[in-house]
């Protein structure tokens, strides 16, 4: 169940090689081009639109990086392409746009963002786009159901689970206790059958990713590496890092 060697051959640029101080915004074309120029694999996030498109953006709602506001799921792809990003003239890309830009030059690590509602439209659209893409690409998600969807709808592509030791912080408060418990310890692994695990670097080492790596042969990525201490930790306990804020 191990991922291909190209996934861990080079560090993975988190949301592209972005640098807001230089006007390079995460998940935007400039960040993608910078990562390609550095020969780094690229991690991006995709979100579902009201008309079923997969757009490259991390947050469920506009506002942190944009002048516009509102939930992405409530807007069409055309509406999102028209959104102005703070401090840049760039526009949001679709997954198809991203694939055309990268054109197989570096690996793509695509995180499927989930509302944990059992909706698989985003993975279906991802499968449609990647069916005509020849470059190296993998899918992953925090949501075990979306990883299962990747297994069922995109079986030819490696898949991974994004995980951490606990899910009790404020970010996860929207989930039920049952949902949070279901994500613990990679206990869904026999069903989702991931090829790799992306684990929170500050929570390494931990028993579940150790077992996944050393018993089941899953590749292990550590996220998100920003400091020298985290880089040392990921070097000790994982196969590769997902990084931001510096150039390895």
């Amino acid at each position: 169940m191990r991922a291909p060697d190209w996934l861990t051959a080079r560090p993975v640029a988190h949301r592209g090689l972005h640098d807001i101080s230089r006007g390079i915004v995460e998940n935007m074309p400039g960040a993608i081009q910078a990562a390609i120029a550095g020969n780094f694999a690229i991690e991006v996030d995709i979100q579902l639109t009201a008309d079923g498109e997969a757009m490259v953006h991390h947050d469920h709602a506009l506002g942190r990086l944009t002048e516009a506001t509102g939930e992405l799921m409530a807007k069409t792809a055309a509406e999102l392409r028209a959104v102005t990003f703070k401090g840049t003239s760039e526009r949001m890309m679709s997954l198809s746009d991203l694939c055309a830009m990268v054109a197989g030059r570096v690996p793509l690590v695509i995180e499927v963002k989930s509302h944990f509602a059992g909706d698989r439209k985003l993975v279906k659209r991802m499968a449609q786009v990647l069916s005509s893409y020849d470059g190296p690409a993998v899918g992953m998600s925090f949501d075990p159901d979306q990883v299962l969807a990747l297994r069922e709808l995109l079986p030819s592509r490696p898949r991974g689970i994004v995980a951490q030791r606990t899910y009790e912080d404020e970010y996860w408060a929207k989930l039920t206790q049952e949902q949070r418990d279901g994500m613990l310890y990679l206990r869904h692994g026999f069903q989702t059958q991931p090829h790799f695990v992306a684990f929170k670097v500050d929570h390494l080492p931990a028993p579940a990713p150790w077992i996944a790596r050393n018993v089941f042969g899953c590749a292990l990525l550590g996220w998100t590496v920003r400091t020298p201490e985290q880089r040392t930790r990921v070097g000790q306990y994982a196969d590769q890092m997902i990084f931001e804020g510096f150039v390895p």
Side-chain angles (χ1 to χ4, degrees):
M1 292 202 300
R2 191 172 178 85
D5 290 341
W6 50 253
L7 178 63
T8 56
R10 290 281 290 156
V12 183
H14 187 236
R15 307 178 194 170
L17 196 62
H18 57 93
D19 183 351
I20 195 65
S21 68
R22 297 170 52 212
I24 303 175
V25 181
E26 65 182 53
N27 281 321
M28 290 289 100
I32 303 307
Q33 295 287 12
I36 294 170
N39 194 30
F40 296 116
I42 303 170
E43 186 268 354
V44 296
D45 310 281
I46 58 172
Q47 297 272 2
L48 184 68
T49 67
D51 53 347
E53 186 57 273
M55 300 298 288
V56 179
H57 196 69
H58 174 268
D59 301 352
H60 291 307
L62 299 171
R64 179 173 64 92
L65 298 171
T66 66
E67 301 294 346
T69 59
E71 295 288 324
L72 269 74
M73 284 189 67
K75 297 183 182 296
T76 66
E79 288 172 328
L80 290 171
R81 289 180 192 276
V83 168
T84 301
F85 280 73
K86 299 173 183 177
T88 177
S89 61
E90 292 189 315
R91 294 290 185 267
M92 195 182 299
M93 297 180 291
S94 68
L95 180 58
S96 295
D97 298 331
L98 174 70
C99 289
M101 177 178 292
V102 176
R105 288 176 287 176
V106 297
L108 288 173
V109 180
I110 304 165
E111 181 178 343
V112 177
K113 304 304 287 187
S114 175
H115 292 266
F116 290 82
D119 188 342
R120 297 185 171 186
K121 294 187 186 73
L122 184 53
V123 173
K124 289 179 181 178
R125 179 55 184 155
M126 177 179 172
Q128 291 172 346
V129 173
L130 293 185
S131 67
S132 58
Y133 184 66
D134 294 330
V138 300
M140 65 180 187
S141 182
F142 272 103
D143 185 348
D145 185 65
Q146 298 301 315
V147 183
L148 184 59
L150 288 168
R151 179 188 174 193
E152 295 174 353
L153 300 173
L154 207 57
S156 64
R157 296 281 182 175
R159 61 189 168 272
I161 186 76
V162 191
Q164 54 193 63
R165 189 188 283 266
T166 63
Y167 299 91
E168 298 304 321
D169 55 84
E170 183 179 352
Y171 181 84
W172 300 104
K174 62 186 178 182
L175 302 186
T176 66
Q177 190 64 52
E178 182 180 5
Q179 287 175 313
R180 294 195 296 271
D181 289 345
M183 296 161 67
L184 289 171
Y185 316 123
L186 306 178
R187 56 176 48 142
H188 51 77
F190 287 107
Q191 183 180 25
T192 55
Q193 297 186 15
H195 300 90
F196 68 95
V197 176
F199 208 79
K200 188 172 184 176
V201 65
D202 290 337
H203 290 186
L204 291 173
W210 187 94
I211 292 170
R213 184 190 189 199
N214 294 284
V215 177
F216 294 101
C218 293
L220 180 58
L221 305 174
W223 61 269
T224 300
V225 173
R226 299 181 177 93
T227 68
E229 293 77 16
Q230 290 173 329
R231 191 170 185 179
T232 297
R233 183 182 294 270
V234 84
Q236 291 175 325
Y237 301 113
D239 299 300
Q240 191 50 269
M241 64 177 171
I242 301 174
F243 73 94
E244 73 174 20
F246 67 98
V247 179

Short mmCIF file of all heavy atoms in Angstrom, two decimals, residues 19-20 25 32 38 40 43 63 68 72 82 99 132 135 162 178 223 241:
data_model
loop_
_atom_site.label_atom_id
_atom_site.label_comp_id
_atom_site.label_asym_id
_atom_site.label_seq_id
_atom_site.Cartn_x
_atom_site.Cartn_y
_atom_site.Cartn_z
N ASP A 19 4.49 33.39 -0.90
CA ASP A 19 5.18 34.38 -0.06
C ASP A 19 4.38 35.68 -0.17
O ASP A 19 4.55 36.45 -1.10
CB ASP A 19 6.62 34.59 -0.53
CG ASP A 19 7.40 35.56 0.35
OD1 ASP A 19 6.79 36.21 1.23
OD2 ASP A 19 8.62 35.68 0.15
N ILE A 20 3.51 35.90 0.79
CA ILE A 20 2.60 37.03 0.72
C ILE A 20 3.35 38.36 0.72
O ILE A 20 2.88 39.36 0.15
CB ILE A 20 1.57 36.98 1.88
CG1 ILE A 20 0.40 37.93 1.60
CG2 ILE A 20 2.23 37.25 3.20
CD1 ILE A 20 -0.44 37.55 0.42
N VAL A 25 0.44 34.64 -3.51
CA VAL A 25 -0.63 34.18 -2.62
C VAL A 25 -0.79 32.66 -2.72
O VAL A 25 -0.69 32.09 -3.81
CB VAL A 25 -1.96 34.88 -2.99
CG1 VAL A 25 -3.09 34.43 -2.06
CG2 VAL A 25 -1.79 36.39 -2.92
N ILE A 32 2.13 28.45 -7.70
CA ILE A 32 2.32 27.21 -8.46
C ILE A 32 3.56 27.33 -9.34
O ILE A 32 4.42 26.43 -9.39
CB ILE A 32 1.08 26.91 -9.31
CG1 ILE A 32 -0.17 26.82 -8.43
CG2 ILE A 32 1.28 25.63 -10.11
CD1 ILE A 32 -0.08 25.88 -7.26
N GLY A 38 11.20 25.77 -8.62
CA GLY A 38 12.06 25.17 -7.61
C GLY A 38 12.09 23.66 -7.64
O GLY A 38 12.78 23.04 -6.83
N PHE A 40 9.71 21.60 -6.81
CA PHE A 40 9.06 21.02 -5.64
C PHE A 40 7.72 20.41 -6.04
O PHE A 40 7.02 20.94 -6.91
CB PHE A 40 8.82 22.09 -4.58
CG PHE A 40 10.07 22.69 -4.03
CD1 PHE A 40 10.36 24.04 -4.23
CD2 PHE A 40 10.97 21.93 -3.30
CE1 PHE A 40 11.52 24.60 -3.72
CE2 PHE A 40 12.13 22.48 -2.79
CZ PHE A 40 12.41 23.82 -3.00
N GLU A 43 1.41 20.87 -2.96
CA GLU A 43 0.17 20.55 -2.27
C GLU A 43 -0.82 21.68 -2.51
O GLU A 43 -0.47 22.86 -2.38
CB GLU A 43 0.43 20.38 -0.77
CG GLU A 43 -0.78 19.91 0.03
CD GLU A 43 -1.62 21.04 0.62
OE1 GLU A 43 -1.22 22.22 0.50
OE2 GLU A 43 -2.68 20.73 1.18
N GLY A 63 -12.80 35.67 2.05
CA GLY A 63 -12.63 36.76 3.00
C GLY A 63 -11.24 36.89 3.58
O GLY A 63 -10.74 38.00 3.73
N ALA A 68 -13.94 39.74 -1.64
CA ALA A 68 -15.31 39.23 -1.58
C ALA A 68 -15.49 38.34 -0.36
O ALA A 68 -14.53 37.90 0.28
CB ALA A 68 -15.63 38.46 -2.85
N LEU A 72 -17.90 29.24 -0.54
CA LEU A 72 -17.57 28.80 -1.89
C LEU A 72 -18.66 27.91 -2.47
O LEU A 72 -18.98 27.99 -3.66
CB LEU A 72 -16.23 28.05 -1.91
CG LEU A 72 -15.00 28.93 -2.16
CD1 LEU A 72 -14.67 29.77 -0.95
CD2 LEU A 72 -13.80 28.12 -2.59
N ALA A 82 -14.12 35.54 -10.80
CA ALA A 82 -14.18 37.01 -10.84
C ALA A 82 -13.77 37.66 -9.52
O ALA A 82 -13.66 38.88 -9.44
CB ALA A 82 -15.61 37.44 -11.20
N CYS A 99 -4.00 21.71 -13.57
CA CYS A 99 -3.37 20.61 -14.30
C CYS A 99 -2.75 21.11 -15.61
O CYS A 99 -1.65 20.70 -15.99
CB CYS A 99 -4.38 19.51 -14.59
SG CYS A 99 -4.87 18.58 -13.11
N SER A 132 -7.96 12.57 -17.64
CA SER A 132 -7.25 13.00 -18.84
C SER A 132 -5.93 13.68 -18.52
O SER A 132 -5.35 14.36 -19.36
CB SER A 132 -8.13 13.95 -19.66
OG SER A 132 -8.50 15.09 -18.89
N GLY A 135 0.08 13.50 -15.67
CA GLY A 135 1.13 13.81 -14.71
C GLY A 135 0.95 13.09 -13.38
O GLY A 135 -0.13 12.57 -13.08
N VAL A 162 -5.05 12.63 5.67
CA VAL A 162 -4.44 13.69 6.45
C VAL A 162 -4.91 13.50 7.89
O VAL A 162 -6.11 13.33 8.13
CB VAL A 162 -4.84 15.08 5.94
CG1 VAL A 162 -3.98 16.15 6.59
CG2 VAL A 162 -4.73 15.15 4.42
N GLU A 178 -18.69 11.46 17.49
CA GLU A 178 -18.55 10.21 16.72
C GLU A 178 -17.65 10.42 15.50
O GLU A 178 -16.82 9.56 15.18
CB GLU A 178 -19.93 9.72 16.28
CG GLU A 178 -19.89 8.40 15.51
CD GLU A 178 -21.27 7.92 15.09
OE1 GLU A 178 -22.24 8.67 15.32
OE2 GLU A 178 -21.37 6.81 14.54
N TRP A 223 3.32 17.51 8.09
CA TRP A 223 2.82 18.85 7.74
C TRP A 223 2.61 19.66 9.02
O TRP A 223 2.38 19.08 10.07
CB TRP A 223 1.50 18.75 6.96
CG TRP A 223 0.39 18.09 7.71
CD1 TRP A 223 0.06 16.76 7.72
CD2 TRP A 223 -0.54 18.72 8.61
NE1 TRP A 223 -1.01 16.54 8.56
CE2 TRP A 223 -1.40 17.71 9.11
CE3 TRP A 223 -0.73 20.05 9.03
CZ2 TRP A 223 -2.43 17.97 10.02
CZ3 TRP A 223 -1.75 20.31 9.94
CH2 TRP A 223 -2.59 19.27 10.42
N MET A 241 8.60 16.11 3.87
CA MET A 241 7.87 17.19 4.52
C MET A 241 7.00 17.94 3.54
O MET A 241 7.30 18.07 2.35
CB MET A 241 8.84 18.16 5.19
CG MET A 241 9.76 18.89 4.23
SD MET A 241 10.81 20.08 5.12
CE MET A 241 11.94 20.55 3.80
#
